[in-house]
Amino acid sequence: MRAIGIVLAGGNSGKMGELTAKRAVAAMPVAGSFRAIDFTLSNMSNSHIQKVAVFTQYNSRSLNDHLSSSKWWDFGRKQGGLYTFTPTITPDNSMWYQGTADALYQNINFLKASHEPYVVITAGDGVYKLDYNKVLEYHIAKGADITVVCKELPEGMDEITRFGIAVTDDRDRIIDFEEKPLRAKTRLVSAGIYVIRRRQLIDLLEKCHQEGRTNFVMDVIMRYKDVKNIYAYKMDTYWRNISTVDAYYEVNMDFLKKEIRDYFFKTYPDVYSKVDDLPPAKYNPGSEVSNSIISSGCIINGRVENSVLFKDVYVGNNCTIKNSIVLNSVYIGDNSHIENCIVESRDTLRANTTHVGENDKIKVVVENNVRYVL
Amino acid sequence: MIKKEMIAMLLAGGQGSRLGVLTSKLAKPAVAFGGKYKIIDFPLSNCINSGIDTVGVLTQYQPLRLNQHIGIGIPWDLDRNVGGVTVLPPYEKSENTDWYTGTANAIYQNIDYMEYYNPEYVLILSGDHIYKMDYEMMLDYHKSSGADITIATYEVPMEEASRFGVVITDDTGKITEFEEKPEHPRSNKASMGIYIFNWKLLKESLQALSEQPNCDFGKHVIPYCHERGSKVCAYEFQGYWKDVGTLSSYWEANMELIDIIPEFNLYEEFWRIYTKNDTLPPQYLSADSSICGTIIGEGTEIYGQVRNCVIGSGVTIEEGCDIRDSIIMNNVTIGRDSTVRKAIIAEQSTIGAGVELGAFEEAPNKEKPHIYSDGLVAIGEGSVIPGGVRVGKNVAIAGITTIDDYPDGILASGETLIKGGEAV
């Protein structure tokens, strides 16, 4: 294979609020039975990238749990494998990853020890399908030093100023790039996916390190945009980032649309995830489900409407779950009413609980009740 | 050095002809159960949950699906450096090449496999029952009772005992007599077809009986050992155990899973049942769907009405359908406005739009009334049923059928329609 993969999954997002109190963004459950990082890992696997390193730092227990075996994505081969790199103490360095470039620099021996000519760097918080080989071919055809995968976000979708915004010339070379600008010049946002020659990356990282620079976007992409050929690969298929509560809610709700489900689940290639071996979902008498996604292991006794239920959720008698997302292994007691909410995983809602969020302000429910009172 | 205390030999070569068209293209252990599972998942999961990591699966009849399902055993954690799951088909020898002619003959032909693992005990299992059982507890019993052979038994209602091989024990659990399908049973302890043998004894008796035609455990090996003074004990199994050998019992056992608290509970954290998951995505129920008393596997999309059904993975039920009391296996598509009553639809089948299954008055099946009964409609794997036809009760359909196969768009109750391939 021509490339190795690196997934930058160390980040936290302040805009995820309580949802990232117990996990990194990359480990956020998405679309009922997946986690955010599954999308990029499946893309890697489907692009025949066989050696993939996941950089973790923030709150990585849940993520490590998900990556406990690499076989779900068909890594774990003699040729290649899936590695997780957390910061370690070395004679030269006893610091956490100070930034994305620093994270890469601290693992520069991984880059040096590889023989593949290219590196595909991705983020763990994007929901999309992409053949990275196509980006690589584009990169080679353009004679680029760095290729940044970009997506033109439609008007009205997402808070555009939370992204890196690219301005390109008519040959798609990036001539201007701003990170989280106050006012965006275009709607072309960086998807946080980069292709770069491995040698080139090593040189740039060493230079960054000498100069005490630590951020890949600011100190590589933006700093070198005039001296290096940095190109934008414009994606025209579905891509969304989940790093705010609203975006996370919207992405999950997107899967209630048939065309989105068909695109992700019924069109080649597949998205893979850790197999949980849960029993089939069970709908007891009294259940009324409409326009909803339900995952394995759920037991439904009440009403569910326009909602996404993740794995192993129990909905008691006479409950109403409406316009909500209920994460893994939640227990909802009888007669509860949940509307416009995201219920955090493993939570236990006692009988007769009511949580109602606003249409434009989704409520994150974290109750932390003890499930079994002995 | 390789040493396994106990290895399992799982007999999965039978056709299960009483399941009719369901087993026309696959062996009975590969038949779906409970939505996403296959019958063989239950003994295989029992093995790994009991700490048995070496399982030989003996296949013979239509093994393709079984081979695809088992693979190298990843779903059950049976991909091991030493041991794991091995599929053991009949093979050619320099002389006396034989199919597996009986349960014990099949094991006999794989003595070398067992010898390789140097076991103390060999567990013989069959691949056609639904149950959760800790074989380690049975082994503990086997050791503590000092038995040479232990037979797992299950108490069946006295009036049904004549359908089984029953054992008569003394008060220590030692078996004194066997009766094979007795007319007037003296005991209701039915043999479950699960045996633990001391390996040395098993090997010697299989070799001694190697010339026995159709050599069978219940008929030959165990009586042979018993007559020669081996201690044979009964291990009384408590819990759920279901034979799903006939269409009616298969249908019933599936339907029991829908009960609010099913007797056979798949939802316990403890003793999980594993299966090969081809489909991962969640299921979707549309705004027009209506669902009640049903279990559904991954990736299924429901746009119609479903009552009291067991539905597998990757199924599509389109708008306006009314599906009741049925078993729909993986990757079946049912076209819009179809009505389905008491049907068993095997994997990869396609039902056209506006089809009615289970219509008309009941009439006994003309060809095989003992198989296709209780008003069931059985549809074999990969069948196609054209849109707009009406199909009666006690009917079997297999293969790709077209509208020409249904005079006036009707297949009356009691008919059998098998296309493309041998009749079953």
Side-chain angles (χ1 to χ4, degrees):
Chain A
M1 180 51 213
R2 290 180 295 174
I4 56 170
I6 290 177
V7 182
L8 300 171
N12 178 21
S13 168
K15 291 181 175 168
M16 290 295 266
E18 288 153 300
L19 291 174
T20 50
K22 63 180 187 188
R23 61 173 91 73
V25 181
M28 281 304 293
V30 175
S33 41
F34 299 90
R35 288 184 188 258
I37 199 169
D38 289 332
F39 292 89
T40 187
L41 289 179
S42 302
N43 288 336
M44 294 272 185
S45 179
N46 291 326
S47 307
H48 307 293
I49 296 176
Q50 292 177 325
K51 191 195 279 184
V52 176
V54 178
F55 290 11
T56 67
Q57 170 157 287
Y58 174 79
N59 220 350
S60 58
R61 187 212 61 83
S62 173
L63 187 57
N64 287 334
D65 188 347
H66 190 63
L67 304 179
S68 63
S69 170
S70 62
K71 64 181 158 192
W72 315 122
W73 304 274
D74 228 351
F75 300 122
R77 303 281 145 188
K78 287 187 178 178
Q79 301 183 339
L82 182 70
Y83 309 90
T84 44
F85 291 153
T86 28
T88 55
I89 293 173
T90 66
D92 315 321
N93 190 339
S94 57
M95 303 282 276
W96 294 96
Y97 296 151
Q98 301 299 301
T100 43
D102 184 52
L104 291 163
Y105 179 78
Q106 287 196 33
N107 293 291
I108 204 155
N109 285 337
F110 170 70
L111 293 171
K112 287 182 172 169
S114 297
H115 61 84
E116 292 82 350
Y118 294 95
V119 183
V120 177
I121 301 172
T122 71
D125 56 0
V127 174
Y128 64 106
K129 277 186 183 181
L130 179 62
D131 183 349
Y132 298 130
N133 282 322
K134 291 208 173 123
V135 187
L136 183 55
E137 277 157 26
Y138 172 90
H139 177 84
I140 294 166
K142 286 281 182 188
D145 292 306
I146 304 173
T147 298
V148 182
V149 175
C150 293
K151 169 80 184 171
E152 184 92 31
L153 282 190
E155 275 313 320
M157 186 192 276
D158 251 324
E159 216 183 312
I160 191 150
T161 51
R162 71 185 178 92
F163 294 103
I165 307 291
V167 180
T168 57
D169 66 12
D170 50 2
R171 294 183 58 247
D172 286 340
R173 185 176 162 190
I174 294 177
I175 49 174
D176 196 7
F177 194 97
E178 283 187 287
E179 181 71 354
K180 301 184 177 75
L182 290 173
R183 203 164 64 83
K185 287 180 188 144
T186 68
R187 296 201 62 87
L188 190 64
V189 305
S190 160
I193 303 161
Y194 314 100
V195 172
I196 181 169
R197 205 155 47 78
R198 185 172 55 86
R199 279 266 134 228
Q200 172 92 277
L201 178 63
I202 291 169
D203 289 347
L204 288 169
L205 292 174
E206 282 179 336
K207 223 171 276 171
C208 276
H209 178 67
Q210 282 158 16
E211 296 166 353
R213 298 174 192 274
T214 56
N215 187 301
F216 191 75
V217 174
M218 310 253 194
D219 301 327
V220 177
I221 305 286
M222 286 164 72
R223 188 170 149 82
Y224 285 91
K225 67 177 189 295
D226 299 328
V227 294
K228 297 274 184 196
N229 285 319
I230 304 184
Y231 277 85
Y233 174 94
K234 292 178 182 167
M235 243 182 119
D236 51 6
T237 46
Y238 186 97
W239 173 86
R240 292 213 53 183
N241 169 290
I242 58 157
S243 294
T244 69
V245 171
D246 288 344
Y248 178 72
Y249 180 82
E250 285 168 21
V251 169
N252 278 294
M253 288 300 170
D254 272 351
F255 282 86
L256 294 179
K257 299 174 192 149
K258 184 164 173 34
E259 67 272 18
I260 303 283
R261 284 197 313 279
D262 285 352
Y263 174 65
F264 278 100
F265 301 150
K266 294 194 171 174
T267 316
Y268 177 86
D270 283 343
V271 183
Y272 315 110
S273 187
K274 182 178 177 182
V275 172
D276 272 341
D277 292 292
L278 288 163
K282 187 161 187 281
Y283 301 85
N284 285 329
S287 61
E288 278 175 45
V289 183
S290 106
N291 189 35
S292 294
I293 279 179
I294 312 286
S295 309
S296 303
C298 286
I299 300 178
I300 315 285
N301 295 292
R303 279 181 297 282
V304 182
E305 197 183 324
N306 304 328
S307 295
V308 177
L309 268 56
F310 284 72
K311 295 176 186 174
D312 193 24
V313 170
Y314 177 87
V315 177
N317 293 311
N318 198 29
C319 286
T320 301
I321 317 287
K322 203 171 163 187
N323 305 332
S324 293
I325 294 172
V326 184
L327 299 189
N328 297 318
S329 303
V330 170
Y331 178 95
I332 299 175
D334 295 351
N335 312 316
S336 294
H337 184 99
I338 312 289
E339 195 170 337
N340 297 325
C341 288
I342 299 175
V343 184
E344 176 59 301
S345 66
R346 307 200 162 271
D347 217 339
T348 302
L349 307 189
R350 299 206 174 102
N352 310 310
T353 305
T354 301
H355 285 289
V356 180
E358 300 300 319
N359 246 333
D360 51 356
K361 179 107 179 60
I362 298 305
K363 181 174 176 184
V364 177
V365 176
V366 184
E367 283 206 354
N368 294 322
N369 292 324
V370 178
R371 183 161 311 182
Y372 300 105
V373 182
L374 294 174
Chain B
M1 191 188 110
I2 291 172
K3 172 87 201 146
K4 300 276 180 188
E5 187 185 29
M6 180 157 80
I7 65 169
M9 299 296 275
L10 176 49
L11 296 157
Q15 175 183 0
S17 53
R18 287 175 303 156
L19 287 176
V21 289
L22 297 188
T23 55
S24 56
K25 286 188 183 169
L26 63 173
K28 179 170 158 187
V31 171
F33 185 84
K36 60 189 278 195
Y37 303 101
K38 308 231 182 274
I39 294 172
I40 198 172
D41 291 333
F42 296 89
L44 281 179
S45 300
N46 286 340
C47 279
I48 197 69
N49 289 335
S50 306
I52 298 169
D53 66 2
T54 306
V55 184
V57 179
L58 297 110
T59 62
Q60 176 157 288
Y61 175 80
Q62 290 277 23
L64 176 64
R65 289 281 177 279
L66 214 43
N67 287 333
Q68 287 172 331
H69 185 67
I70 293 170
I72 60 165
I74 288 178
W76 307 272
D77 264 352
L78 287 170
D79 51 326
R80 297 289 163 138
N81 287 333
V82 177
V85 67
T86 309
V87 175
L88 302 167
Y91 53 94
E92 194 177 6
K93 303 162 199 74
S94 52
E95 50 200 53
N96 293 332
T97 296
D98 263 329
W99 291 99
Y100 294 153
T101 58
T103 52
N105 176 267
I107 304 290
Y108 167 72
Q109 292 195 41
N110 289 286
I111 279 187
D112 290 348
Y113 170 82
M114 295 180 282
E115 189 96 284
Y116 176 81
Y117 291 105
N118 190 16
E120 293 290 320
Y121 309 99
V122 175
L123 172 69
I124 310 288
L125 300 170
S126 65
D128 45 9
H129 294 109
I130 305 297
Y131 64 112
K132 293 182 187 175
M133 180 174 179
D134 189 342
Y135 303 131
E136 200 171 12
M137 282 170 68
M138 182 174 169
L139 179 61
D140 289 345
Y141 174 84
H142 178 80
K143 289 185 204 163
S144 66
S145 63
D148 300 303
I149 304 170
T150 299
I151 302 176
T153 61
Y154 189 76
E155 288 194 16
V156 295
M158 208 59 182
E159 57 273 21
E160 284 180 32
S162 57
R163 294 201 291 121
F164 295 90
V166 296
V167 300
I168 295 147
T169 58
D170 66 14
D171 34 347
T172 64
K174 186 165 176 276
I175 295 174
T176 52
E177 261 179 272
F178 299 92
E179 287 182 328
E180 189 65 23
K181 300 195 175 131
E183 223 168 289
H184 304 288
R186 287 187 288 146
S187 149
N188 65 342
K189 285 181 190 161
S191 165
M192 298 165 69
I194 299 169
Y195 315 108
I196 291 178
F197 277 86
N198 287 352
W199 163 235
K200 263 178 81 178
L201 172 69
L202 177 65
K203 188 178 166 188
E204 282 163 15
S205 47
L206 287 176
Q207 280 165 341
L209 291 167
S210 65
E211 298 301 318
Q212 170 69 43
N214 303 332
C215 190
D216 182 272
F217 278 103
K219 290 195 196 99
H220 307 114
V221 178
I222 290 168
Y224 171 88
C225 296
H226 190 239
E227 279 159 25
R228 275 159 190 73
S230 296
K231 185 174 178 188
V232 186
C233 288
Y235 171 75
E236 288 182 39
F237 174 67
Q238 316 279 342
Y240 184 94
W241 179 73
K242 198 87 177 177
D243 180 87
V244 289
T246 65
L247 273 183
S248 301
S249 67
Y250 172 81
W251 182 82
E252 265 165 38
N254 272 282
M255 289 299 140
E256 283 173 11
L257 296 173
I258 302 169
D259 297 345
I260 294 192
I261 297 175
E263 200 187 337
F264 188 66
N265 194 341
L266 294 166
Y267 294 81
E268 296 162 331
E269 288 284 315
F270 176 70
W271 217 266
R272 189 157 276 179
I273 304 300
Y274 302 97
T275 189
K276 181 167 185 272
N277 283 268
D278 292 321
T279 318
L280 291 170
Q283 50 202 254
Y284 174 77
L285 285 83
S286 81
D288 306 325
S289 73
S290 147
I291 192 157
C292 177
T294 291
I295 59 173
I296 301 183
E298 280 97 351
T300 286
E301 306 221 332
I302 310 266
Y303 298 90
Q305 200 185 85
V306 178
R307 294 269 177 286
N308 298 326
C309 288
V310 172
I311 297 182
S313 301
V315 174
T316 306
I317 293 178
E318 292 181 2
E319 288 94 346
C321 284
D322 178 7
I323 318 289
R324 292 191 191 186
D325 307 317
S326 295
I327 300 167
I328 319 282
M329 300 184 195
N330 294 353
N331 303 319
V332 167
T333 303
I334 302 184
R336 56 172 59 220
D337 303 320
S338 292
T339 306
V340 177
R341 295 284 182 277
K342 272 190 102 168
I344 302 174
I345 305 178
E347 295 173 39
Q348 325 286 346
S349 294
T350 306
I351 314 295
V355 168
E356 192 177 349
L357 298 181
F360 314 124
E361 285 298 301
E362 204 171 321
N365 187 274
K366 289 177 190 158
E367 290 183 24
K368 294 180 174 165
H370 55 292
I371 292 181
Y372 306 109
S373 59
D374 291 310
L376 290 166
V377 180
I379 296 179
E381 187 185 280
S383 299
V384 174
I385 297 183
V389 301
R390 302 183 72 200
V391 174
K393 300 183 169 80
N394 296 331
V395 160
I397 300 175
I400 298 172
T401 64
T402 62
I403 192 75
D404 302 334
D405 300 316
Y406 300 83
D408 305 323
I410 284 172
L411 189 70
S413 291
E415 294 292 337
T416 304
L417 175 56
I418 298 192
K419 296 252 319 207
E422 65 235 87
V424 188

